[in-house]
Amino acid sequence: MWLTRPLQERSTQVFLGVLFAALVVVTFLHLFMPQDSALHVSAFTVTLLGKYLCYALLAVAVDLVWGYLGILSLGHGAFFALGGYAMGMYLMRQIGDRGVYGDPVLPDFMVFLNWLELPWFWHGFEMAWFAFIMVLLAPGLLALVFGFLAFRSRVTGVYLSIITQALTFALMLAFFRNEMGFGGNNGLTDFKDILGFNLRTDATRLGLFIATGIALAIGYVICRGIVTSKLGRVSVACRDAEARTRFLGYRVERVQLFVFVVSAMLAGVAGALYVPQVGIINPSEFSPLFSIEIVVWVALGGRATLYGAVIGAILVNYAKTVFTGIMPDAWLFALGGLFVLVTVFLPKGIAGLLQKRRKAKTDNDTPTGQEATA
Amino acid sequence: MSICRSLTLLLIALVCLLSLPATAQEDDPGKALLINLADAPASKVEEAVNAIVSSGDERARGWLEAYGNNRLSRVKDTGQVVLVLNNRGRDWEIADPLTGENMGEMSRRELDRVAINNRIRGQLEGILAMLDLNAKDPDVREASAQDMMGKVDASLVAPLEARLEQEENAAVRNRIEEALAIYRVGEGNLEAVDVLAGSLHPRARAALNEAARSDNQELAASATKALESIEQKLKLNRAAETLYFGLSLGSVLVLAAIGLAITFGVMGVINMAHGELIMLGAYTTWGMQQLFPGQPGLALILSIPAGFMVAATAGIIIERSVIQYLKGRPLETLLATFGISLILQQLVRTVISPQNRTVVTPDWMSGSLVINDALSLTLNRLYVLAFALIVFAGLMLIMRKTRLGLEVRAVTQNRAMARSMGIRATRVDIMTFALGSGVAGLAGVALSQLTNVGPNLGQNYIIDSFMVVVFGGVGNLWGTLIAGLSLGTINQLLEPWAGAVLAKIIVLVFIILFIQKRPKGLFPQKGRAAEG
Amino acid sequence: MSLKKHVKLGLSALALSISFNSVAAEDPIKVGILHSLSGTMAISETVLKDTVEMLIEQQNAKGGVLGRQMEAVVVDPASNWPLFAEKARELLAQEKVDVIFGNWTSVSRKSVLPVVEELNGLLFYPVQYEGEESSENVFYTGAAPNQQAIPAVNYLMNEIGVERWVLAGTDYVYPRTTNKILETYLMDMGVAKEDIMINYTPFGHSDWQNIVSDIKRFGSAGKKTAVVSTINGDANVPFYRELGNQGIAASDIPVVAFSVGEQELSGIDTAPLVGHLAAWNYFMSVDNDANYDFIDQWIEHTGNEQAVTNDPMEAHYIGFNMYVEAVKKAGTTDVDAVKDAIIGVTVPNLTGGYAAMMPNHHITKPVLIGEIQDNGQFSVVWETPSLVAGDAWSDYLPGSRDMIADWRKPMFCGTFNTATGTCGASAGEMAAADE
């Protein structure tokens, strides 16, 4: 019921329309344009776009907690990376005996470090269904435990932000340890195939790109569903006046916990789709700086709009791709400058800019169009 | 060892020669000695060194020192052995080792270094130490006697005993006795074990350890007993050492975090560029050392005000250009300052260099303060610890006793009220941010003595700094001090037991859990300000 | 590149999808440079970018190769490992470069490897590494463990008489593997297990008080002790500072480092470190005219009188010249032809000898032990009597003892198992090799 409501919304329809149109156009241009045509979209670009979409889904997850719940998570990279590791472990097991040492069970890095048997937590990941459940469960559980502790004791504001940062930092250090059995700094890499499809073919890449697009669409609809439901309105109330909401009789911590866990799972899915497309997962995804960067995408796109997060993620990462190519020595100036300018001059992000324009337009059409600002 | 036998000869020869005037002859025998050394293949080096030592030439010491420091080279064309005065860059400044006359610069291509390795350098140190045993200054004698520990062999016993007879200084006597005892324990002497029983010196312990493994039952037993008593003493020392390590790490954390405690804790600005302000302080130290070459100590002291000013100026620029527009939007300051931090890092990479810079530690800060043989406190860390406490005290003074401090506290507690009392809040903002940034700069000056000075310096400290401030309680300087010192100590207590990585993880988990228990840190801010 | 062009490129969303395909015969040879210019690795990698650019300039001044000029395509993977893979793909698929020089860390190489293999590119990797890899498309011009670690340990054991060993490293795959190999090797040589202490620290570790004090204690057991350090990059400065301050001199407990070169030393005040050791295949102080010429060119190129050279730079020098020779030999830049031609190519190195490309895609190198001097340079104290050929698969690891790599036909295999006589253990890999 709550899931179908967003589909009737104008903004969601537009978003889904644009997204699906983009998917179709890219697929068409990739498949049916001749290689040497200027309009041909290469497999490289398809994968690149797939990566942007993963980031977009991650940004949507962050926007859900930050925009609608008021929790600035500086540790969402942790959930993203956990999802990624779950997927990475599945892909590692799929390599089977095609690794360089030809061990049918142990991944290469374990043979390399003289491990004799698979650690217990690696069992089960040879089965796709188990791995895919873990993609949701691992980040979900972490968020549940962490959120339960934090929300119960009413850790708020900047304290919460800093301990989410501590969380991802601690996990990064832990995953860097080779004893942990996740490949240490080298992480998991050299994947061969997923669900039987060779990862090194363009068709699989296109498939993953489309799957990411669909995941983003579903994630977006779920988030819209939550924020337009009663739960969503309560969570906005928590954001704006936590104490008041509590006195009104709402169980604030339950609402917070639910939304937080959903958001963590979405981040996990984003991570899981990210790994086969970029071909590696390594503890640097846990780095606190990456988590801060995600927040920056959301802020740039416009907080509490969801579609703003998508725009922000895609824009920043596109800028990164372009700048690291054409001005390798100076791209950090451009990126840093962008962050500063946006926060100072566009406090509501790009989405705010769009809304302002739309508002100006509706103001012109109907002088009493106040609901457009809501 | 033959070197040592010839050493005795040298000592005698030196005594004789000291009264003679220096003779500069056409046919200097030193020339042949040096060429002999330079020509010697690895197996003959020892012989060549011996020849120099037993020649009794009063320049021998200078030559050997130069040889030990890699400063002897040969001119490829003429085969002349020269002293290298400056070996940086492509052209080296050289001098004649026989006359000491400066020969100007010569291209590195034209010079062939006289090779030396660690083994020979070790022997040279022994020889030089033996020479120093005759020095006038008892401290020099003690130091050289200490250098002799573990380096005594059969040929040195006689001269050392002779030296012991003459020696009046008790400390030096003790050292020489221990040095002799280490040798004697090796020879199976039981009495010598007793001499070493109280010694905490690692060489003494090494000798006892070896004796404890020997076949001589009696010796092994008494050595084991002596070791046990030493171990007892060591335990206490080790505990003291660990505490010092902890406080030292803690002081680093405090220094790094204290500026943040002001900008973040008092002003509410989540300053992600804080680490880069620290970096600026460190680069200022480097810059000052470039301005005053050869005077690292003076440069370092001048860097303290300079580092403060540079970082404070950068802080003012940041505040005026960005942060003032973000009043009341603390989370957005995070984003903007994150951008600034990226820019500052890349700026340093582009303008200065992506490589680390060398910051020299002045002599009075290197080495360690020796409490006893097993416990010595590294001087650079000791200074940093003291510096952290001074900075903290200074800040407390400013916040409590000055008009600025009063105004800052007023503005943070109730901005509107403070303004209506005639306080210029904008000015207070600028001053507070400058103060916090300047203190970050001071931290950078201190850190330049402990770690890399490079573009990544700030990143390594920013997360720790936030942890410390939050753990201590935002807005409370005392909290920052206690939090920094205790987190440092916990970390160092855990480290020997859990390893460096796990220790850090445990500390992080501890902070996470602690915040559940006390959601506002160790020392929560009370009253109205807490709600803001 | 002008600002206008940036804006134009940045604005055009289509820029990504434009594919370049018009290749004329006289087009320049495109050389991709895949080194981080920002982020944590910039500290080491930027000079390598400059080195390759300098080599290209020089080659062009000599008239290029096969009458074609060479052109550098520089990208910045920003010390971000997935970005390395993406940029490698960009270089190969979009820019269509003929060869890539790049990577420093093992993880970045592992990230790039599948891309280079899939798109059949050429990658020259210039850094000493843990071995246990041999790819058809990668040429390892840095040292394998048997070209650095084992000779260094031999030196300490035989020349210095070391009996007790501290293996200290940063916790990642290169130190882990090197220490594993060394541990096996030392125990084979009769060192007791309690005489080996192994310690791992995280990247950028800055507080060494406890560890150095442990080392000091470990060294007071009555046997000559040495530290074999695989500590990486930034962590070295505080480590050496702590050593100096706690009074551990090189004559007491020497430290031999595998990751500390001239570049790293340029950020340290080396006066307290004189006598500590490093093992490399090249030192800037090597007394040789080819080396002096290279240094002169480098100083001229950078315009910095203080600029230093180091081992990975020499590796790129060798790799670049090998590539040029191979292209001349093959008469084309076609990847498969160059791959065939390059095996056996021999070019001068900077230490007065020659480097040859072996069939396992590793090269021959001399191993030098240098002592740190007070001017930030090393002085060579020992050298292997002859060149050592790189070993892709270590003889001291159980999993790889029987493996060899040979990329000549008919074997053409990176994981040939001499015990079973098969290539790898799997049919899949063989099928891939047959293609």
Side-chain angles (χ1 to χ4, degrees), chain B residues 311-343:
Chain B
T313 313
I316 292 176
I317 296 172
I318 295 173
E319 207 278 341
R320 282 294 86 190
S321 60
V322 177
I323 290 170
Q324 65 157 325
Y325 301 110
L326 303 173
K327 269 279 113 59
R329 293 188 282 157
L331 293 178
E332 266 148 73
T333 58
L334 181 152
L335 308 177
T337 50
F338 182 63
I340 293 172
S341 102
L342 293 183
I343 293 174

Side-chain angles (χ1 to χ4, degrees), chain A residues 51-60 80 274 290 297 313 317:
Chain A
K51 187 179 93 168
Y52 296 164
L53 292 184
C54 291
Y55 284 150
L57 180 56
L58 176 60
V60 167
F80 178 77
Y274 171 81
F290 175 59
W297 304 340
N317 284 292

Side-chain angles (χ1 to χ4, degrees), chain B residues 125-154:
Chain B
E125 277 167 14
I127 291 173
L128 297 174
M130 195 66 202
L131 291 176
D132 284 341
L133 264 185
N134 294 319
K136 283 211 178 74
D137 186 351
D139 289 342
V140 175
R141 292 206 301 276
E142 190 183 341
S144 63
Q146 189 164 354
D147 283 346
M148 299 295 300
M149 294 185 84
K151 288 179 182 147
V152 180
D153 62 18

Side-chain angles (χ1 to χ4, degrees), chain C residues 309-327:
Chain C
T309 57
N310 64 4
D311 183 275
M313 284 171 62
E314 192 223 12
H316 260 344
Y317 171 84
I318 295 171
F320 185 85
N321 287 333
M322 279 182 165
Y323 177 72
V324 169
E325 288 307 313
V327 169

Side-chain angles (χ1 to χ4, degrees), chain A residues 214-281:
Chain A
I214 294 171
L216 176 61
I218 296 173
Y220 186 84
V221 171
I222 290 177
C223 289
R224 266 325 291 182
I226 289 175
V227 300
T228 51
S229 69
K230 186 180 164 205
L231 184 88
R233 288 197 295 277
V234 176
S235 67
V236 170
C238 297
R239 175 190 76 186
D240 295 336
E242 189 177 325
R244 230 179 275 180
T245 319
R246 205 182 293 278
F247 292 139
L248 284 173
Y250 291 102
R251 301 291 292 268
V252 171
E253 57 277 0
R254 285 194 189 172
V255 177
Q256 287 173 325
L257 193 57
F258 176 77
V259 177
F260 193 63
V261 169
V262 169
S263 159
M265 287 175 161
L266 285 176
V269 171
L273 287 161
Y274 171 81
V275 169
Q277 300 193 62
V278 301
I280 182 172
I281 175 82

Side-chain angles (χ1 to χ4, degrees), chain C residues 34-50:
Chain C
L34 188 63
H35 283 299
S36 300
L37 309 176
S38 55
T40 49
M41 288 312 296
I43 192 169
S44 306
E45 292 193 64
T46 30
V47 287
L48 292 183
K49 181 210 84 179
D50 294 340

Side-chain angles (χ1 to χ4, degrees), chain A residues 36 40 42 44-45 48 51 97 101 112 114 177-179 186 189 200 205 282 285 318 321 324 326 331, chain C residues 9 12 16-17 21 38 76 81-82 86-87 89 94 107 110 114 118 132 171 173 176-177 398 426:
Chain A
D36 49 359
H40 175 73
S42 65
F44 166 72
T45 313
L48 204 59
K51 187 179 93 168
D97 61 2
Y101 297 106
F112 197 39
N114 293 352
R177 281 164 50 87
N178 275 288
E179 285 96 344
N186 270 16
T189 175
R200 295 183 185 182
R205 289 210 181 89
N282 144 291
E285 306 296 338
Y318 174 66
T321 306
T324 48
I326 59 169
W331 71 274
Chain C
L9 269 172
S12 126
L16 272 174
S17 46
N21 68 328
S38 55
D76 178 16
W81 320 133
E86 184 185 313
K87 290 291 166 191
R89 192 172 286 277
Q94 303 279 114
V107 53
K110 291 273 184 212
E118 179 193 330
E132 302 300 292
D171 190 2
V173 68
R176 287 260 171 195
T177 318
S426 72

